[in-house]
Structures are given as structure tokens and as C-alpha cells.
Amino acid sequence: MVNVALPKGRLGEKAYRVFEKAGYSCPSILEPSRKLIFENTAAGVRYFWVKPSDVAIYVERGAADVGVAGKDILLEYAPEVYELADLAMGKCRMAVAAKKDFRDDTEKTLRVATKFGNIAREFYAGKGRDIDIIRLNGSIELAPILGLSDVIVDIVETGATLKENDLAVVEEIAAISARLIAGKAAYRFKGMEIENMCRAIAAVVEEQA
Ligand code: PRP
């Protein structure tokens, strides 16, 4: 049995469809309910609905064997997991954004509002730029508008949130998409099952490209 942590929500449902096509169906998962665990013994798979930002924790600690996690989370928390495949979904960008009239005054420490403190720290360290990180949990776009920060480091998907708040991308940091990850212990003990799953999933992703 391979235990799979899927991110609750639209991305997880899309990811499940890929697993389903790859031969790991579990029809009960699509029925409306508040249940969090679903299994199909015949297909050798058990699914968990997990908060998207927690998937890597379940996999890293072995509570799930594999999972679907955003590259943003993998970059930010650097969990000890194997990244097996790019699922080519949940595509977006990690970017620096600011008010349209923003000009960087390099004499001053740059105030950066973000949920992704490690990504921001590493990005600006690479440029040798001094920053002050202001950690927020959501609605990051408010920070430069209210003067709480100079820039934000955040996810941009359609760009609508920036546009509707008169902000613009200053620089791109990384391309983000959903990845199939596996735990190190799981890979050691269920290597064959996980490799078969990974191969079947990669084939479905390839077919859909
Ligand atoms: C994310 C991100 C941006 C928005 C980008 O927020 O933080 O705010 O989506 O998407 P867009 O480019 O398509 O407008 P999320 O909806 O996850 O909520 P949050 O404010 O809690 O971060």
C-alpha cells in the first residue's frame, strides 16, 4: 500500500485525476464528504487530504510515503524528501513586486513583506542586498500599499491580485509548479512501488503536455 498525501483543494483534485489515470483510482475520494482518508486496496493506494503547506511535513516524517507539494513550499522549507517529478500543474511564479513607482534606494535596508522568508532571504543574500523581513500570513499585497514594506515576495499566478492593487512585478525569483515527492524512508522500504507509481504518473503528465 502506498500512502499518498494530496493537497486539499482544486490542485489536489487535479492531481488525483493524474493518479487515477496512472492506475491508482479511488472513486470514493470524489464523493462529497468530510472524510480525510480514502483507500483502494486493490490498487494498493491510500489517499489523505492534507493542508497544502503541510504535505511535505507528512512525507518528510513518513506519515505519508509520497505527496504532491508546491515547489514554493519545497524551496521555503527545504524538507528532507526526494523530488521525483514535475506534475506541470499549479504553475505560477515566485516574484518580487512593488508599487508601480517603486525605486530601490540601495542606501537603505529594503523592507520585504512575505510568507516566504527563507526564499526572500536567500534571493537578496545572493545580491548582497540588506533586507528586513516582515513575515505576514496572507494578503501580502497590502503591505506596500500601506507603507508597511517597500516590496513583497509572493506568488503570482494570473497577476490579477497585483493589477487590481496597482502593484507590478519587479523581478522574478523562480518558476513554481506542483511536484511529486517521496519520503526517504518510504523510498528505502517501498522503492519498487514508488518507482512504478512515479513512472506511471510521469507518463500521464507527458501525455497531457
Ligand atoms: C496567492 C498569492 C497572491 C495571489 C496571486 O494568495 O499570495 O495573493 O494568490 O494570484 P493571482 O496572480 O492569480 O492574483 P492566496 O489566494 O493563496 O491567499 P493569501 O492572500 O492568503 O496568500
Side-chain angles (χ1 to χ4, degrees), residues 126-199:
K127 292 167 164 290
R129 181 77 173 93
D130 268 346
I131 63 166
D132 178 12
I133 291 177
I134 300 159
R135 272 191 188 265
L136 298 177
N137 298 300
S139 302
I140 318 292
E141 291 82 359
L142 267 177
I145 297 170
L146 301 183
L148 176 62
S149 76
D150 302 307
V151 300
I152 63 174
V153 165
D154 200 13
I155 282 167
V156 181
E157 193 181 350
T158 60
T161 311
L162 292 183
K163 195 162 175 235
E164 289 180 28
N165 291 290
D166 286 320
L167 302 175
V169 169
V170 176
E171 277 175 284
E172 290 196 8
I173 300 179
I176 305 295
S177 59
R179 308 295 160 101
L180 178 67
I181 59 171
K184 294 194 166 171
Y187 205 84
R188 200 170 323 122
F189 297 112
K190 300 184 186 176
M192 179 93 91
E193 290 97 314
I194 293 173
E195 266 175 35
N196 288 339
M197 179 180 265
C198 180
R199 208 172 303 119

Side-chain angles (χ1 to χ4, degrees), residues 40-191:
N40 178 353
T41 345
V45 69
R46 183 185 291 126
Y47 293 102
F48 312 133
W49 283 132
V50 170
K51 191 177 155 80
S53 51
D54 290 342
V55 167
I57 300 174
Y58 282 77
V59 174
E60 183 178 37
R61 292 186 171 264
D65 301 316
V66 303
V68 172
K71 183 68 180 175
D72 51 336
I73 299 296
L74 302 179
L75 288 172
E76 177 64 17
Y77 299 103
E80 289 278 320
V81 297
Y82 296 124
E83 198 180 306
L84 301 181
D86 186 341
L87 299 181
M89 61 175 69
K91 287 186 184 172
C92 52
R93 299 168 289 158
M94 184 63 65
V96 177
K99 290 203 322 199
K100 286 180 180 151
D101 60 3
F102 167 74
R103 295 283 169 275
D104 192 2
D105 178 355
T106 49
E107 303 282 292
K108 289 190 186 151
T109 299
L110 186 70
R111 295 169 306 154
V112 183
T114 188
K115 274 196 272 198
F116 302 96
N118 294 331
I119 293 176
R121 188 173 300 109
E122 197 175 317
F123 177 69
Y124 284 105
K127 292 167 164 290
R129 181 77 173 93
D130 268 346
I131 63 166
D132 178 12
I133 291 177
I134 300 159
R135 272 191 188 265
L136 298 177
N137 298 300
S139 302
I140 318 292
E141 291 82 359
L142 267 177
I145 297 170
L146 301 183
L148 176 62
S149 76
D150 302 307
V151 300
I152 63 174
V153 165
D154 200 13
I155 282 167
V156 181
E157 193 181 350
T158 60
T161 311
L162 292 183
K163 195 162 175 235
E164 289 180 28
N165 291 290
D166 286 320
L167 302 175
V169 169
V170 176
E171 277 175 284
E172 290 196 8
I173 300 179
I176 305 295
S177 59
R179 308 295 160 101
L180 178 67
I181 59 171
K184 294 194 166 171
Y187 205 84
R188 200 170 323 122
F189 297 112
K190 300 184 186 176

